[in-house]
């Protein structure tokens, strides 16, 4: 199952960055629902339907992160 430590960390995070995933693979797909903050960032080649991100950056995660 999901790690209680991972669930707790996500639940208490101020910012959650989702990167390089389609969110269709377990356990990543289920972890997002535990986020309670209001700063959700998605870095992905395509938009992720069903996520209400505050910021979406479309592009390969390695390329985007190397530019930060």
């Amino acid at each position: 199952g999901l790690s209680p430590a991972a669930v707790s960390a996500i639940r208490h995070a101020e910012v959650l960055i989702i990167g390089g995933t389609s969110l269709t693979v377990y356990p990543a797909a289920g972890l997002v629902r535990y986020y309670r903050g209001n700063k959700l960032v998605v870095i992905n080649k395509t938009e992720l339907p069903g996520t209400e991100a505050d910021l979406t950056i479309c592009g390969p995660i390695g390329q985007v992160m190397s530019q930060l």
Side-chain angles (χ1 to χ4, degrees):
L2 296 174
S3 160
V7 170
S8 179
I10 289 173
R11 187 171 276 151
H12 293 96
E14 291 183 34
V15 176
L16 181 62
I17 300 173
I18 300 171
T21 179
S22 63
L23 287 180
T24 58
V25 178
Y26 179 85
L31 289 173
V32 178
R33 68 180 171 182
Y34 294 103
Y35 180 60
R36 301 289 183 251
N38 62 359
K39 298 176 186 104
L40 180 61
V41 178
V42 173
I43 304 171
N44 203 41
K45 287 183 181 179
T46 61
E47 291 188 31
L48 298 177
T51 59
E52 296 182 21
D54 297 289
L55 174 63
T56 298
I57 301 171
C58 290
I61 189 167
Q63 180 181 1
V64 171
M65 296 302 281
S66 70
Q67 293 177 0
L68 296 177

